[in-house]
Amino acid sequence: MSLKMSASEQAASRETSAHAGNPMQPRQVETVIIGTGFSGLLAAIRLQKKRCNDFVLLERSSELGGTWQVNSYPGAEVDIPTSLYWISFIPYPCRKSFAPQRELLAYTNHIIDRFGLRKHARTNQTVTRLAFDEREFRWHVETQSGERYTARFVIDASGVLANPHTPRIKGAETFKGPLFHSGHWDHSVAYEGKRVGVIGSGCSAAQIVPAIAGKVSRLTLFMGKAQWILPRSDRRYGAVERFVRTLPGIRHTIRLLVFAFYDIRFIAFRRYPGLSGISRLMKDHYRRRLKKHLDTYINDDKLRQHMLPDYELGCRRLIPTNTYLPALSLDNVDVDISGIECITPQGIRTKDGKDIPLDIIVYATGYFAYSNMKKALTFQVHGLGGRNLNSEWEKAAVSYKGITVSGYPNYFKVNGPNTGTGHSSQMSYMEAATDYIVQAICAVKRDKGIKAIDARPDLQDAYVAGMRRKMQKTVWQNATCTAFYRKNMTEEVTSLSPEPVTGFILSRKWFRLGDYRLLTAPLNPSGQGEPPHSHSIVAGGFPEIS
């Protein structure tokens, strides 16, 4: 019996063999996808569905999986209901309402294997530079390992939770024990029976502390600012319920109800005319719930007062948890709110003069996201006329619909500026963005006269101005607190979208070729291509259901 390869598989095999024979020769593909988290996998699947199989997935780690492959710290789990976090057209029998990291990684691998994506992926490929060739209309992709690629299209799905924020604390280099960031948890270090210090009080700390508190001899949490800690409805599912929840009609209904509940909450974060009373009621409700739980679990008056936020609900990321506050009440758990003076060889010295002996120190201090624009892109991006996206975004993080950037043809960003969520599931945003991107790629490929597309500057300027006007009406921009989704923690909001999820999806449901300059010939020295064609193409829709 003989097995026949398809034409595309034969071409891929020949290209891979040629590349293996000459590692210095760039590998040529139609599309490079950077990152193998959910957004990268979504992009690959949508390309496959359109029979665009000439792509490569580049992963900087040694294993595929993105965020949930890297973030494996104790207690790691999603902070949004799993029914809203799974990809809408790929069901999976989850075991609990909020899936833990091991199940999220299993789901990721299920997706990779179901759609045969491993053959398209290359690991240990840390991208260092993208450069657009204005004569070839192709992107040149360089990696740290020396391997190179050229592609007509680049889909940057590298994610915003890829750059851990490690604070600079005096004396850190002198500590004699293990010290690491939660995003790079050292599993070779046994914490059982040890004295552990956790620095930070955000989402990761709220998950780590309950997970290890009962196993360590003593845990000290060095708490920063107060957080909005909210109880959640979390439970495990039996085998029958797990199966039933994957049935098409039932899972779509559950997803729709959860989606609607979370999107309605957007009222609390955006100042809509006539709805301020409802917003105030919602915020008062959550404040009363938090105060009740603090009264139940936190006996120390000073700590209880410190943990009640003095800023508006939503200004910082909400923390849904049922286990964090009970863990803080355990006899072997201490909470320090005086601040850290320095790290010593034996532990941490606080600002009120206490020396706390520690065996292990964990930074649970989150990620840069778009707070530090020097860290927003992990590689250099060079577009038309030698323009550099890194330096431009340091001044102003602008884009068109958070997906394309004028001056960078055929470069598409998933989870770009102002496409994050402060109230719902990021999966909905990623599905909308990847659908839009693949529509764009298909539209370009259909018209043989088009070499590349570039967002029109006038439309990009109008989009950014409109987005900023909307942002001025949100709690994220107006409340007085520091947050990782603001530039330099205090300036304009650079991460979150000022739209509810429904608005985000509808505004990106259809790709319009008329929104772009159509590059049809080599560019002249001024960086201007031929005038765009007079027609536009509207294609496709969202979401896909299968």
Side-chain angles (χ1 to χ4, degrees):
M1 180 178 178
S2 62
L3 298 176
K4 293 184 177 180
M5 298 174 68
S6 67
S8 61
E9 288 175 330
Q10 291 176 15
S13 177
R14 288 195 301 271
E15 192 282 320
T16 301
S17 297
H19 180 65
N22 185 0
M24 298 307 294
Q25 183 71 23
R27 176 179 174 181
Q28 296 189 19
V29 293
E30 184 172 71
T31 306
V32 163
I33 303 172
I34 304 173
T36 61
F38 284 132
S39 56
L41 301 180
L42 265 167
I45 293 166
R46 293 198 187 282
L47 286 173
Q48 284 185 331
K49 286 177 177 287
K50 298 298 183 182
R51 301 185 184 279
C52 300
N53 295 309
D54 185 14
F55 63 86
V56 63
L57 287 149
L58 302 183
E59 171 56 52
R60 70 180 185 177
S61 300
S62 59
E63 300 289 340
L64 306 182
T67 295
W68 297 110
Q69 187 274 320
V70 176
N71 283 275
S72 58
Y73 58 81
E77 60 185 9
V78 70
D79 59 2
I80 207 79
T82 310
S83 55
L84 195 57
Y85 197 74
W86 288 163
I87 295 173
S88 64
F89 54 92
I90 308 178
Y92 192 76
C94 56
R95 296 178 178 274
K96 63 191 292 284
S97 305
F98 293 80
Q101 178 267 341
R102 63 181 180 277
E103 191 167 38
L104 292 160
L105 184 58
Y107 178 58
T108 303
N109 284 302
H110 165 74
I111 295 169
I112 292 169
D113 293 332
R114 174 178 166 180
F115 291 92
L117 297 178
R118 292 191 194 279
K119 65 185 178 185
H120 292 278
R122 298 293 306 279
T123 56
N124 298 309
Q125 297 292 286
T126 300
V127 174
T128 57
R129 187 174 186 267
L130 303 180
F132 186 71
D133 189 313
E134 299 179 20
R135 292 195 172 276
E136 296 180 0
F137 294 96
R138 293 182 68 83
W139 283 95
H140 291 252
V141 182
E142 299 177 9
T143 67
Q144 197 173 70
S145 64
E147 296 182 65
R148 296 178 295 149
Y149 304 81
T150 68
R152 187 179 185 187
F153 307 100
V154 170
I155 302 176
D156 181 357
S158 54
V160 295
L161 301 183
N163 298 302
H165 173 252
T166 303
R168 296 178 179 177
I169 302 177
K170 180 182 176 182
E173 71 284 355
T174 68
F175 183 61
K176 293 182 177 180
L179 185 154
F180 48 82
H181 192 280
S182 60
H184 296 292
W185 191 274
D186 188 345
H187 291 279
S188 68
V189 176
Y191 56 81
E192 292 83 355
K194 301 292 180 64
R195 299 166 299 181
V196 179
V198 176
I199 300 173
S201 53
C203 288
S204 53
Q207 294 177 345
I208 293 170
V209 169
I212 70 173
K215 302 175 183 178
V216 302
S217 65
R218 190 145 212 95
L219 188 149
T220 304
L221 175 66
F222 297 89
M223 180 180 289
K225 294 190 177 292
Q227 307 283 347
W228 280 97
I229 302 164
L230 307 176
R232 67 186 190 186
S233 299
D234 190 13
R235 63 184 181 86
R236 295 188 176 276
Y237 305 132
V240 174
E241 186 176 4
R242 289 204 302 273
F243 169 74
V244 170
R245 292 175 70 92
T246 64
L247 299 176
I250 293 176
R251 69 181 171 88
H252 291 318
T253 300
I254 293 173
R255 186 183 181 92
L256 178 61
L257 292 173
V258 177
F259 176 92
F261 171 77
Y262 274 81
D263 220 23
I264 288 172
R265 294 200 316 172
F266 189 75
I267 295 172
F269 309 126
R270 173 88 176 265
R271 293 175 170 83
Y272 289 102
L275 295 179
S276 59
I278 297 176
S279 176
R280 189 163 51 251
L281 285 173
M282 293 174 69
K283 293 171 182 175
D284 289 344
H285 168 70
Y286 284 122
R287 178 171 284 276
R288 286 195 300 270
R289 291 186 71 183
L290 174 56
K291 190 174 185 304
K292 178 181 177 182
H293 282 80
L294 289 174
D295 289 341
T296 301
Y297 295 108
I298 307 300
N299 295 323
D300 184 270
D301 291 339
K302 186 176 180 181
L303 176 59
R304 189 168 58 246
Q305 184 178 357
H306 174 84
M307 293 186 68
L308 190 64
D310 59 359
Y311 56 86
E312 195 172 350
L313 175 75
C315 180
R316 307 191 85 190
R317 187 177 176 183
L318 306 182
I319 301 179
T321 174
N322 296 331
T323 57
Y324 181 48
L325 293 181
L328 297 185
S329 68
L330 296 177
D331 292 338
N332 69 323
V333 174
D334 298 318
V335 180
D336 179 83
I337 58 175
S338 68
I340 296 174
E341 178 68 30
C342 64
I343 294 177
T344 68
Q346 289 74 37
I348 288 179
R349 179 173 301 145
T350 63
K351 288 186 177 179
D352 61 0
K354 294 194 299 287
D355 278 306
I356 300 176
L358 299 169
D359 301 308
I360 303 168
I361 295 176
V362 178
Y363 290 118
T365 46
Y367 294 83
F368 281 109
Y370 285 101
S371 62
N372 183 338
M373 297 312 297
K374 290 182 180 180
K375 304 284 187 178
L377 294 169
T378 58
F379 42 82
Q380 294 292 312
V381 181
H382 297 274
L384 298 180
R387 289 173 56 179
N388 178 249
L389 187 58
N390 308 71
S391 59
E392 290 179 7
W393 274 8
E394 282 186 43
K395 299 173 184 175
V398 299
S399 67
Y400 183 56
K401 294 182 181 290
I403 299 173
T404 57
V405 185
S406 181
Y408 300 84
N410 289 0
Y411 170 79
F412 304 94
K413 177 71 174 167
V414 188
N415 299 319
N418 298 108
T419 60
T421 176
H423 73 289
S424 188
S425 171
Q426 190 62 28
M427 186 63 72
S428 300
Y429 292 77
M430 292 190 290
E431 288 202 37
T434 53
D435 181 69
Y436 180 93
I437 290 167
V438 174
Q439 285 184 49
I441 290 173
C442 290
V444 173
K445 291 182 63 178
R446 274 195 298 270
D447 192 326
K448 302 302 181 183
I450 302 175
K451 301 294 185 180
I453 58 172
D454 185 30
R456 285 171 46 187
D458 59 324
L459 293 185
Q460 177 170 290
D461 291 345
Y463 165 78
V464 171
M467 182 273 297
R468 287 176 175 168
R469 283 195 300 271
K470 293 176 183 177
M471 191 64 75
Q472 288 298 327
K473 300 176 182 179
T474 67
V475 62
W476 304 308
Q477 187 65 69
N478 286 301
T480 55
C481 74
T482 59
F484 74 89
Y485 44 72
R486 302 178 75 163
K487 184 178 180 180
N488 297 325
M489 301 295 284
T490 60
E491 300 173 27
E492 70 268 22
V493 175
T494 47
S495 291
L496 303 185
S497 169
E499 304 171 272
V501 185
T502 47
F504 186 93
I505 292 172
L506 291 173
S507 64
R508 293 156 180 82
K509 185 173 183 178
W510 293 283
F511 170 78
R512 295 186 67 257
L513 202 55
D515 291 351
Y516 292 81
R517 290 193 306 135
L518 311 184
L519 308 185
T520 58
L523 301 175
N524 61 40
S526 67
Q528 300 296 317
E530 294 292 322
H533 295 288
S534 60
H535 66 277
S536 64
I537 296 175
V538 180
F542 172 84
E544 295 180 45
I545 302 294
S546 64

